[in-house]
Amino acid sequence: MSKFTTCKYCHASVPFLELREQDFDVVTRAISAGSKTSAISEVEHFMRCSESEAKAWVGHLLNCIYAFPTSEADKKILDIVDRSFSHFTKPEHFTNYTHCDECQEHDNTFLKRTRETVRREDLGNVGWDPVTFTNAEGIAYLFPTLARYALIPGLWSTHDWYASQLLTHLSGGDHNNRFFAWCGSQQREAVFSLLNHLAATRMTEIENYLDGQELADALSTWKS
Ligand SMILES: [Zn+2]
Ligand SMILES: [Zn+2]
């Protein structure tokens, strides 16, 4: 029997399992290959825990951005992002919700979550992306979470690496980009630090996802 702890972010009850780095890699590879079942049996095997404990652990990893381990270098950037954005409170609405059914649906997606409980599936994909319809206040509220998703690998077989989507929101429109226009100098510097960090540490992924142009555009928008 593993000891269960309550996640302080999403409040899920999660078995306390500390996987070795190489075991964690095996598990995340199984997940991104689309086999949650084999990921669960790997966890059972590595941790000698029950199937239900392994299931709860994998479920938490997929549903809570805080379940994923953070490197020291990433943590430094996320601290800057948190200092610049975490004081923004949840807006009453995220989209122009009376505009159409799609705007209303995207609004509901974020209204039912907090910054801590947004799931990867909530962020959709290039063709169905609620952030595209989200106002600047809403993006500012969500930004610490969006930055975290951009820094973890594309773990979900059904969704791409999130940085690709985030870069489309941070590029385009130059200084008329609605989020750029809304941000103060502290927020702009934090976004620029995140972009620089992506350029310094994630170039392989950026090239694989063909995001080089978006990254260059975003860097030039946010640097001033
Ligand atoms: Zn959690
Ligand atoms: Zn609409």
Side-chain angles (χ1 to χ4, degrees), residues 96 98-104 133:
N96 182 8
T98 55
H99 177 258
C100 67
D101 288 350
E102 189 176 354
C103 290
Q104 189 175 33
F133 298 85

Side-chain angles (χ1 to χ4, degrees), residues 7 9 24-25 27-29 31 57 60-71 74 78 148-149 151-156 202:
C7 172
Y9 300 102
F24 185 82
D25 288 345
V27 172
T28 51
R29 266 203 300 277
I31 295 173
W57 190 88
H60 185 235
L61 186 70
L62 286 170
N63 287 331
C64 176
I65 185 61
Y66 291 90
F68 208 88
T70 313
S71 72
D74 286 358
L78 291 171
R148 283 173 167 79
Y149 276 107
L151 293 178
I152 71 165
L155 184 63
W156 295 263
R202 308 295 203 275

Side-chain angles (χ1 to χ4, degrees), residues 89-95 97 107 111 135 137:
T89 53
K90 186 173 175 174
E92 225 167 285
H93 286 285
F94 286 86
T95 68
Y97 65 104
D107 191 38
L111 285 180
N135 51 45
E137 291 83 351

